[in-house]
Structure formats: structure tokens, C-alpha cells
Amino acid sequence: MNSPAEIRTLVTDIVQATPVFDIHTHLYDPAFGELLLWGIDDLLTYHYLIAEGFRQSDVPYEKFWALSKTQQADLIWDALFLRHSPVSEACRGVLTVLQALGLDVRKRDLPALRAHFAQWEVGEFTTRCLELARVRQVCMTNSPFDPLERPVWERGFARDPRFAAALRIDPLLLDWANTAPQLHAWGYEVRADFSGQTFGEVRRFLADWTRRIDARYCMVSLPAEFAFPAETAEARLIEHAILPHGREHGQAFALMIGVRRGVNPQLRMAGDGLGLADVGAVENLCAQFPANKFLVTMLARENQHALCVAARKFRNLHVFGCWWFLNNPSIIEDMTRMRLEMLGLSMTPQHSDCRVLDQLVYKWSHSRGIIGRVLAEKYADLAATGWEPTRAEIERDVHDLFGGALERFLKD
Ligand code: RAT
Ligand code: ZN
């Protein structure tokens, strides 16, 4: 019989080696040019670090926002790395990336780091990061409402198969008053009061963009107050447009629930907070629409247990990721253990939510370490009963956790 130590070694090896399908990121196919962020200045000006930087600096908000990206990065480096030790998860992540790229972080030399990144060409750097992170494919977040992104799709380009698309529709659901005229201007016969052909035309819009980008699923991020059923524009659009579209085109609907946008607007993109959401809304969707598939992640730690219970009740619900403020080692460990105990392998423990290409390296390195540790503990518990997992069984299971189960869920 394998000892717990032998099991740990085997599981760690497999978890380290298994390629990942990263199901939610904000990365772009290199064909999108400047929209794909990478390099030291983008790493340092990640919005997680901007929020932390303001805590350790008294720079006025407006002054910070008026700085160039390089100056902002200088300020954050100084405040978070030089004046204090960079122990937060987002700071540590930068160092993990630099180390994996073979850079010497001991020197604390930001100009030297910049000089290193200046030598890279984006195509080669993309390949290097995907290799280091052992990520086989990433899902982008693709918004037809984004004025920078939209024209790239309209022009067309040769797709990089390592970058899959997901249709992101926040303005459609959360800002209908402004989106209806926009859709109208694009040639869809929608009316702000939902009369006439509105729902059919929204479906036509969704179908056009699903085809254009070859979407894997349709996605929205929702506030903590999200309710279903409800007499709200988003609930009506979900029932009469998104879900019929999903059934017709075999598209799952991904809901990320619990954000409170602009808690501190001075922080701009770094200013969002979280709130406790109602898991009942997810249960209602799953119960009323059994022919639809739902991918759900929630932002409040306090929602995680109820979400697991909901997933036990509904097989059309697939839980994924440790999102944003949950993406910290202590919480990932807790959530992964709970999900394995309650859902077994029928879930996706992590997505990266990367906004900067290089972050793939740290987010997956840190998550692999934790997932491997928790899994090893679970297999050791099985082995103690005499149920010894084989290498092939563990490889199968880890493949499922790292995107395989989700790919099956999206297809079935
Ligand atoms: O995690 C993040 O980077 C957030 O800013 C959000 O973009 C969130 O992940 C989302 O997709 O809404
Ligand atoms: Zn995101």
C-alpha cells in the first residue's frame, strides 16, 4: 500500500504536469494587439495592486490617475515592494512570475526588470507563459459592447486556437436603458419597453455574436442584489432572450454573482467591492430551466457553502473558480476542500481571472500547489480504507478538475 507521503508525491507530480483549460480570464488573443496586457508595468498596475498601493501611499487619487503607466508602476513598486515586504497574494504573484522567468528578484532592480521584458516579442512571450503555466487554452472575456474590441471582431482575424471566446453581455442585462438604443442603432428592432420583436431581436443579436466569435458560453457578472424571478429588466431578458438562446445554440449561461461596482469610485477599476448574494436566485433558475446549463461562481465567501448545496440539487449547475477576493491561498484551500467533500470531482476548482498574460504563471502555480495538497489528503483518506487510487485514475480526475469536467458539461 502507498504511504500518504508516496501518494502526496504522485498527486503533486500529476497536478503539476496536467495542462489546464483556464475557463475565465481577461486575456486576449495576440491578434487584439494592445488589448493583450503583459510585462512588468502591466503586472504592477494590476487593479488588485493599485488598490493595495493606495493603502501604503498618500498620493492623491487624481494625481495617481494622471501619471503614465510607467510612473504608476514606479509608485506601486516603491510603496508595496520597497517600503514594505510584498507579502500580499497579489504582490507575491509578481515575484513568482519573475522567478519563473528566470529573473533575479533579490536585486530589487525595477529598471533591470523592464530591460528584460523589453527583449520579448509578444508571440514568443505568449507561448512562454502558456508553457510555464502549463495552460493548454484560455477563455477570453469578449464584449461586443467594448469599443476597442468590437472592431477587431468585425474586421476578422486568424484565430489563435489557444484563445477561446466567451460572450460577455453585462451592459445588455444591467444597463438596458442605454443598450436598447445601441442595439437599435446596430440594426436590431428592439424597444426599451420590451414590446414588439424585442426579445426575438435580442436573440438574433446573441446568435450573431455567438457565431462571430465562436463563443463557448455566454457570461455576465451580477450585483449581490440579483434576484430571479423578478420584475427587473435583467430577469426578463434572462428568461425571454438569454435562456432561449442558450437552449437553441447549446450555450451555457455563466453567472458571476456578488459584485458591488464602484464602492469607492475614486479607485476606478480597483474600486469594486462585494456583497452577500441570494443563492435562491440560482436555484430558481436551475429548477425552472432544466434544459439550460448554468456555470456559477459567487464572490462572497459566505455564499460558498449554500452554492455547493445548490449544485448537489441541480446537475445543470456547474460551480467554478475562487473569484477575485477569494483568490487567496487560505480561502482557495478551504473552498477546494469543501467542494471536493460536497461535490466530488463534478466542479472546476479554479479559473485564473488573469488580466495580464504573465499572471497565468503565478495564478496557476499557486493554485496547483493548494489543489495538489488538498487532493493528496483526499486520496490518502481513500487509501486508508484500502481503495488505492491508480496513477491513471488520478490523471483522469485531475484532467477533469482542470477543465475536462467543464468541457464535458458544456458539450453534453
Ligand atoms: O477579477 C477581476 O479582475 C474583476 O475586475 C472582474 O473583472 C471580474 O473578474 C469580472 O469578470 O467581472
Ligand atoms: Zn473576470
Side-chain angles (χ1 to χ4, degrees):
M1 178 170 145
N2 285 327
S3 70
E6 284 163 338
I7 291 176
R8 201 175 317 118
T9 307
L10 180 62
V11 173
T12 304
D13 288 351
I14 293 170
V15 166
Q16 290 303 327
T18 305
V20 169
F21 169 42
D22 190 344
I23 64 168
H24 171 60
T25 76
H26 298 264
L27 302 177
Y28 287 91
D29 183 315
F32 283 84
E34 306 271 288
L35 285 178
L36 173 59
L37 304 181
W38 62 282
I40 187 67
D41 288 334
D42 283 314
L43 282 173
L44 290 171
T45 53
Y46 185 33
H47 69 89
Y48 293 26
L49 287 179
I50 289 178
E52 293 173 29
F54 275 119
R55 297 188 55 74
Q56 297 286 18
S57 152
D58 50 15
V59 62
Y61 293 119
E62 282 320 312
K63 191 164 170 215
F64 178 83
W65 294 118
L67 298 174
S68 68
K69 188 194 286 183
T70 312
Q71 292 169 323
Q72 291 177 351
D74 284 340
L75 197 144
I76 289 172
W77 177 256
D78 184 63
L80 295 181
F81 290 77
L82 301 184
R83 290 180 186 277
H84 309 273
S85 294
V87 298
S88 79
E89 174 64 5
C91 285
R92 173 190 164 220
V94 175
L95 301 180
T96 302
V97 170
L98 298 175
Q99 185 190 40
L101 288 170
L103 293 162
D104 186 354
V105 298
R106 280 174 306 186
K107 298 200 179 101
R108 292 149 167 75
D109 183 350
L110 183 53
L113 297 174
R114 286 195 174 115
H116 170 86
F117 280 95
Q119 295 167 1
W120 280 100
E121 181 275 321
V122 66
E124 285 167 9
F125 193 67
T126 302
T127 300
R128 185 73 188 127
C129 288
L130 289 167
E131 273 170 11
L132 282 171
R134 282 175 307 293
V135 168
R136 60 187 161 95
Q137 193 175 42
V138 305
C139 220
M140 305 179 276
T141 296
N142 302 106
S143 173
F145 302 99
D146 183 317
L148 298 176
E149 179 172 351
R150 183 184 168 85
V152 182
W153 289 113
E154 285 174 335
R155 268 199 310 276
F157 58 95
R159 294 284 295 267
D160 181 332
R162 297 170 299 181
F163 292 79
L167 180 59
R168 180 79 175 236
I169 52 160
D170 294 19
L172 178 68
L173 294 188
L174 300 173
D175 190 19
W176 174 246
N178 289 310
T179 302
Q182 180 69 82
L183 289 185
H184 203 269
W186 288 336
Y188 298 94
E189 291 300 315
V190 301
R191 296 197 195 140
D193 65 0
F194 296 111
S195 61
Q197 321 247 325
T198 299
F199 293 121
E201 285 293 275
V202 172
R203 285 175 64 176
R204 188 164 69 84
F205 167 76
L206 295 170
D208 286 349
W209 276 90
T210 298
R211 268 193 293 270
R212 175 172 283 145
I213 72 175
D214 189 20
R216 291 288 178 90
Y217 56 82
C218 178
M219 167 176 252
V220 68
S221 156
L222 293 164
E225 299 72 32
F226 173 66
F228 192 93
E231 291 302 316
T232 56
E234 62 269 23
R236 295 179 74 178
L237 283 158
I238 288 172
E239 176 164 1
H240 300 294
I242 311 293
L243 297 182
H245 162 77
R247 292 191 294 273
E248 189 181 340
H249 295 270
Q251 292 274 301
F253 185 34
L255 302 100
M256 306 177 83
I257 311 173
V259 63
R260 285 170 60 227
R261 299 279 177 205
V263 168
N264 182 355
Q266 306 259 43
L267 291 181
R268 301 198 182 171
M269 202 208 214
D272 299 339
L274 70 80
L276 193 64
D278 176 20
V279 177
V282 175
E283 291 170 341
N284 293 339
L285 282 167
C286 294
Q288 283 179 40
F289 303 99
N292 281 96
K293 290 177 278 194
F294 300 92
L295 298 176
V296 176
T297 197
M298 297 181 92
L299 199 47
R301 183 180 197 164
E302 295 77 3
N303 278 132
Q304 302 309 321
H305 184 245
L307 184 60
C308 280
V309 174
R312 291 176 65 86
K313 307 298 138 189
F314 298 102
R315 62 182 160 181
N316 58 339
L317 170 57
H318 189 97
V319 169
F320 74 96
C322 299
W323 180 24
W324 201 343
F325 309 113
L326 298 168
N327 196 13
N328 297 304
S330 59
I331 303 179
I332 299 169
E333 178 154 348
D334 216 37
M335 281 173 60
T336 303
R337 189 173 281 116
M338 176 174 69
R339 286 166 167 179
L340 284 171
E341 288 164 0
M342 295 184 72
L343 301 173
L345 299 155
S346 66
M347 51 90 185
T348 300
Q350 193 56 305
H351 70 273
S352 76
D353 234 310
C354 288
R355 285 181 179 271
V356 184
L357 184 60
D358 332 23
Q359 291 170 340
L360 285 170
V361 176
Y362 95 77
K363 298 221 186 197
W364 283 108
S365 149
H366 293 188
S367 289
R368 273 182 212 271
I370 300 162
I371 293 167
R373 208 161 54 237
V374 176
L375 261 185
E377 174 192 307
K378 295 300 167 202
Y379 287 120
D381 288 346
L382 296 185
T385 72
W387 185 280
E388 288 206 35
T390 66
R391 170 178 274 276
E393 285 168 346
I394 299 173
E395 284 171 348
R396 171 201 63 196
D397 296 348
V398 175
H399 171 79
D400 275 359
L401 290 176
F402 284 176
L406 183 88
E407 286 171 316
R408 221 167 31 245
F409 179 80
L410 293 179
K411 255 197 227 109
D412 288 346

